[in-house]
Amino acid sequence: MNELAKDCERILFPAETIAEEVKKAAAWLDARYEGTMPLAISVLKGSVIFFCDLVRAMKTPVQMDFMTLSSYGSGSSSSGMPKIVMDLAAPVDGRDVLLVEDIVDSGHTLVKLKQLLGGRGAKSFTVVSLLDKPSRREVDVQADYSCFTVGNEFIVGYGLDYDQRYRNLPYVGVLKPEVYEK
């Protein structure tokens, strides 16, 4: 067991299960975007591993771009006030936008992104998330497609972190409370 894995209480979704769900999400997106080339946006840093696996599994051509928002800092709960740290390079005006998220939690980040990109003239807006955590939702928003639904536990791995650690775990696991309650 590596150093990071010992901090996990249990594995929720092993790498093989995640890979199967990524293929299903890619097929869903291929059907949705047939004949187009959407602008696929990864919200860094949490979604980057999911994003890369997802766009590689798609048959539809995509233009890729990245942006960074922050609402957690080094804490374990969202501030509810996401801020843009790094903006997109590509214009969204008139484009079909595919936003790839790691987790829809409180919903504040997703609401901000929908407002921001809609205000920039996006033709359409589709959200795919690896994880959905409806028990923490504070605003009425959801992804168009979520691979997994999780309970109110602290989730790490496959891109998700706590204090910039655990992103490189190949699975999604539950972090032991004693790690983040220090």
Side-chain angles (χ1 to χ4, degrees):
M1 178 180 302
N2 73 36
E3 179 186 340
L4 297 176
K6 71 177 176 39
D7 291 340
C8 284
E9 193 172 88
R10 69 184 186 284
I11 295 174
L12 286 178
F13 308 110
E16 300 78 21
T17 303
I18 294 169
E20 290 172 22
E21 290 301 316
V22 168
K23 286 179 189 170
K24 290 178 189 175
W28 183 84
L29 287 166
D30 284 336
R32 187 174 187 98
Y33 287 119
E34 186 176 359
T36 68
M37 187 171 115
L39 173 61
I41 300 170
S42 172
V43 181
L44 299 175
K45 300 174 186 166
S47 74
V48 72
I49 294 172
F50 174 50
F51 178 82
C52 290
D53 287 349
L54 182 65
V55 297
R56 285 187 310 187
M58 291 175 67
K59 294 179 176 86
T60 304
V62 298
Q63 178 183 353
M64 299 185 336
D65 206 345
F66 304 88
M67 68 186 313
T68 305
L69 278 81
S70 177
S71 60
Y72 283 85
S74 62
S76 61
S77 62
S78 173
S79 68
M81 296 298 294
K83 64 179 183 181
I84 297 173
V85 177
M86 182 184 82
D87 209 342
L88 298 170
V92 300
D93 188 39
R95 299 290 306 273
D96 293 310
V97 172
L98 165 59
L99 183 72
V100 180
E101 271 279 29
D102 54 354
I103 187 167
V104 179
D105 192 324
S106 69
H108 291 289
T109 299
L110 190 50
V111 166
K112 180 167 181 122
L113 285 169
K114 281 186 166 191
Q115 291 170 343
L116 176 72
L117 299 174
R120 292 181 181 178
K123 177 176 151 187
S124 70
F125 192 80
T126 301
V127 179
V128 173
S129 70
L130 175 66
L131 303 171
D132 183 27
K133 192 186 279 194
S135 63
R136 300 267 302 161
R137 200 80 81 245
E138 295 176 5
V139 293
D140 186 22
V141 68
Q142 63 185 22
D144 297 291
Y145 188 103
S146 293
C147 293
F148 303 99
T149 300
V150 295
N152 191 17
E153 300 170 294
F154 202 101
I155 308 299
V156 295
Y158 197 69
L160 289 93
D161 77 306
Y162 168 66
D163 202 17
Q164 299 302 320
R165 296 179 53 149
Y166 311 102
R167 291 189 197 279
N168 59 323
L169 292 173
Y171 53 80
V172 172
V174 177
L175 194 61
K176 292 177 182 174
E178 59 265 22
V179 174
Y180 59 87
E181 290 176 351
K182 295 180 194 178

